[in-house]
């Protein structure tokens, strides 16, 4: 911690993990609560995907309107992240975390009981708003609870593993629950999970915030939130209708203009929402570039591979889920190994190596054929996901290492914003390549080739950007 940055205010039960490499019993409980919340949000991203056709039939949603079941969640979850992360810094991360859990649980119940499309989409939007509070507050509580070093590496490794596993489990579990209990059970599961975490969290977590409470940067909050909302709307809508629509192009331009205005506002604000000097840190800037690439490109791989397995090879939803189940097991294994690589080679080298591995195994998917290739796809995507998990863990460590506790909310807010924007960005940009070609198989190959090339190029750029300057 730098000498000119005051320590964060911490009240309530002591949760800080002791120095060393072993987690105490209480620290494990704290880690369980924080990781369970992150896993729950990750589950929400994917558990509904395979239930969309059944949901559409039940609520009489047209195929073109089904995308809003996803967009209604991603708009607020990505748009409000930076604002909520700063609110947690100033007014209490534990308070924000608990409020987010309560809102998420109530919204999940609304989505479960939805009697009309409007009620369901309102529930999804409120779920996204709750997630925008849970994710940055939970990450800040994790990084301020566990000191920088082996304990934080291990905690972030477990968190990253469960985050990645949540997406995979959601795809498998969503199919099973929809077939046996109906699509509403997927939303009910999230309501129960939020309730369990909400009951356990108050007695385990300590309050944490910055000691000084400057005025909230309202102009910055408005510009960045509106800019992210416009940008995510444009990209999400383009995934369904392409970039030719007037509303899509207008939203895209508005989003870019508002984000440019945000940068200008922050440069002049006495209490900025985002510290521009922090963005000038090579670790923060290039670490987030690595995170943006790994999330956006792997989400594209999953989307494109799902099309290939179901539309080209004609595999059932159950068998497709098994492919991603193997991927989930590989991700869990990588989560236990990645911290060891970070400890031996450092977060920066691990990030670069993980990006290279992800790119190379994405390229290996080009070996699949139009009539066979499920085994190749399973092996390649599983190994690629292991490197993806390594990139998730190492980019979070790269960005947050060396950042004072009083600014951890800002740093983790950037990390989680990068994650959410990355998950939204890849499919609209590269998924269009797979769905607009005359042959779906040719489109899949084109999308995978561009994906692999972008990841490898990004790895080389991140390596150059993170290279230590010689004295």
């Amino acid at each position: 911690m730098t000498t000119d940055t005051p320590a964060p205010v911490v009240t309530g039960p002591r949760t800080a993990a002791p120095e060393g490499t072993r987690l105490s019993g209480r620290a494990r409980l704290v880690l369980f609560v924080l990781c369970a919340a992150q896993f729950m949000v990750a589950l929400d991203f994917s558990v509904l995907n395979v239930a969309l056709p059944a949901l559409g039939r039940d609520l009489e949603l047209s195929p073109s309107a089904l995308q809003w079941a996803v967009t209604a969640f991603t708009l607020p979850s990505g748009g409000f992240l930076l604002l909520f992360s700063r609110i947690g810094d100033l007014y209490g991360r534990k308070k924000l975390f608990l409020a987010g859990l309560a809102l998420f649980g109530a919204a999940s119940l609304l989505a479960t009981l939805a009697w009309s499309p409007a009620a369901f989409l309102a529930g999804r939007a409120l779920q996204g708003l709750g997630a925008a509070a849970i994710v940055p507050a939970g990450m800040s509580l994790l990084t301020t609870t566990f000191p920088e070093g082996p304990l934080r590496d291990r905690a972030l490794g477990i968190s990253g593993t469960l985050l990645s596993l949540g997406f995979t489990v959601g795809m498998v579990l969503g199919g099973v629950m929809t077939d046996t209990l109906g699509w509403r059970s997927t939303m009910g599961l999230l309501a129960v999970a939020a309730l369990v975490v909400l009951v356990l969290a108050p007695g385990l977590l300590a309050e944490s915030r910055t000691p000084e409470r400057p005025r909230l940067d309202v102009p910055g909050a408005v510009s960045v939130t509106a800019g992210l909302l416009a940008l995510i709307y444009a990209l999400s809508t383009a995934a369904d209708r392409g970039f030719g629509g007037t509303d899509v192009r207008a939203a895209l331009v508005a989003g870019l203009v508002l984000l440019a205005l945000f940068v200008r506002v922050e440069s002049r604000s006495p209490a900025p929402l985002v510290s521009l000097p922090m963005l000038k840190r090579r670790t923060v800037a290039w670490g987030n570039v690595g995170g943006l690439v790994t999330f956006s490109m792997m989400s594209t791989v999953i989307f494109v591979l799902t099309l290939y397995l179901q539309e080209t090879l004609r595999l059932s939803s159950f068998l497709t889920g098994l492919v991603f189940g193997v991927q989930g097991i590989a991700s869990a294994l990588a989560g236990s190994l990645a911290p060891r690589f970070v400890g031996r080679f450092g977060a920066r080298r691990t990030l670069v190596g993980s990006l290279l591995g992800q790119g190379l195994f994405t390229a290996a998917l080009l070996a699949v054929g139009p009539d066979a290739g499920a085994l190749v796809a399973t092996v390649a995507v599983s190994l690629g996901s292991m490197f993806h998990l390594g990139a998730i863990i190492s980019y979070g460590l790269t960005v947050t290492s060396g950042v004072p506790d009083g600014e951890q909310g800002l740093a983790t807010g950037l990390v989680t914003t990068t994650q959410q924007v990355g998950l939204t960005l890849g499919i609209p940009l590269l998924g269009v390549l797979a769905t607009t070609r005359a042959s779906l198989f040719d489109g899949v190959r084109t999308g995978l080739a561009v994906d692999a090339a972008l990841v490898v190029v990004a790895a080389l750029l991140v390596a150059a950007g993170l290279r230590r300057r010689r004295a």
Side-chain angles (χ1 to χ4, degrees):
M1 183 182 299
T2 56
T3 57
D4 59 344
T5 302
V9 172
V10 179
T11 60
R14 178 179 175 82
T15 61
E19 294 287 352
T21 58
R22 295 180 63 85
L23 295 173
S24 67
R26 187 178 189 85
R28 292 183 181 183
L29 289 175
V30 171
L31 183 59
F32 169 78
V33 166
L34 295 176
C35 287
Q38 302 284 351
F39 180 84
M40 176 185 69
V41 173
L43 195 69
D44 196 6
F45 268 98
S46 58
V47 71
L48 195 64
N49 285 348
V50 294
L52 288 178
L55 182 153
R57 289 190 297 270
D58 187 23
L59 295 181
E60 298 183 352
L61 282 171
S62 65
S64 61
L66 278 179
Q67 61 134 345
W68 283 101
V70 178
T71 304
F73 180 89
T74 57
L75 273 171
S77 66
F80 287 90
L81 270 172
L82 279 176
L83 173 60
F84 282 166
S85 66
R86 190 55 173 160
I87 289 175
D89 282 348
L90 298 180
Y91 303 107
R93 294 153 184 159
K94 178 181 176 180
K95 292 187 185 72
L96 181 65
F97 184 75
L98 296 178
L101 281 171
L103 178 59
F104 187 91
S108 299
L109 182 60
L110 174 60
T112 303
L113 302 175
W115 55 92
S116 67
F120 174 75
L121 294 178
R124 289 292 286 165
L126 292 173
Q127 276 184 325
L129 198 62
I134 293 170
V135 173
M139 282 291 292
S140 294
L141 287 169
L142 189 149
T143 55
T144 54
T145 296
F146 297 93
E148 188 171 334
L151 281 180
R152 183 182 294 179
D153 293 355
R154 186 177 178 188
L156 284 174
I158 295 172
S159 176
T161 300
L162 291 177
L163 179 67
S164 179
L165 195 59
F167 293 106
T168 305
V169 170
M171 295 183 71
V172 178
L173 194 60
V176 174
M177 294 185 69
T178 301
D179 286 344
T180 56
L181 301 174
W183 70 266
R184 294 179 187 272
S185 64
T186 62
M187 296 291 98
L189 173 66
L190 298 172
V192 173
L195 178 62
V196 171
V197 178
L198 187 60
V199 169
L200 294 176
L204 290 171
L205 301 178
E207 186 57 279
S208 171
R209 60 175 173 81
T210 55
E212 298 178 357
R213 302 177 72 174
R215 294 177 61 185
L216 184 64
D217 177 19
V218 176
V222 171
S223 58
V224 72
T225 301
L228 287 173
L229 286 173
L231 189 62
I232 294 171
Y233 169 83
L235 294 174
S236 299
T237 306
D240 180 59
R241 296 193 278 112
F243 287 94
T246 303
D247 59 333
V248 173
R249 287 181 288 183
L252 189 60
V253 171
L256 295 175
V257 170
L258 285 167
L259 291 179
L261 176 63
F262 168 68
V263 173
R264 183 174 179 81
V265 168
E266 297 305 278
S267 67
R268 299 184 175 188
S269 174
L273 190 66
V274 172
S275 171
L276 293 183
M278 177 183 290
L279 289 176
K280 293 179 181 178
R281 296 180 187 222
R282 289 178 297 123
T283 53
V284 173
W286 288 106
N288 276 300
V289 168
L292 181 68
V293 170
T294 193
F295 272 109
S296 61
M297 294 300 100
M298 183 52 71
S299 67
T300 304
V301 168
I302 301 301
F303 174 76
V304 170
L305 199 59
T306 301
L307 291 178
Y308 167 73
L309 293 173
Q310 294 195 14
E311 301 297 329
T312 301
L313 297 187
R314 301 296 180 183
L315 295 186
S316 65
S317 298
F318 176 73
L319 291 177
T320 301
L322 288 182
V323 171
F324 293 113
V326 175
Q327 176 206 14
I329 295 173
S331 296
L333 177 62
S336 64
L337 296 176
R340 301 181 185 180
F341 282 92
V342 171
R344 182 171 181 179
F345 301 107
R348 303 179 190 187
R349 291 181 179 178
T350 304
L351 174 58
V352 173
S354 296
L355 288 172
L356 285 173
Q358 179 180 328
L360 292 176
F361 280 106
T362 299
L365 286 168
L366 295 173
V368 299
D371 301 315
L375 180 59
V376 172
T378 302
V379 174
V381 76
S382 298
L383 293 175
S385 293
M386 293 182 73
F387 283 98
H388 168 62
L389 203 286
I392 292 176
I393 294 171
S394 54
Y395 107 86
L397 290 171
T398 300
V399 173
T400 58
S401 296
V403 176
D405 281 353
E407 297 181 6
Q408 281 292 335
L410 292 175
T412 55
L414 289 172
V415 168
T416 50
T417 298
T418 294
Q419 167 196 318
Q420 303 284 58
V421 173
L423 289 170
T424 308
L425 187 67
I427 294 175
L429 292 180
L430 296 186
V432 172
L433 294 176
T435 56
T436 56
R437 299 290 294 271
S439 165
L440 178 61
F441 179 68
D442 290 340
V444 166
R445 286 179 58 84
T446 301
L448 290 173
V450 175
D451 187 301
L454 288 175
V455 177
V456 171
V457 170
L460 298 178
L461 291 175
V462 171
L466 290 177
R467 184 177 301 160
R468 296 181 184 274
R469 292 190 182 96
R470 294 182 179 180

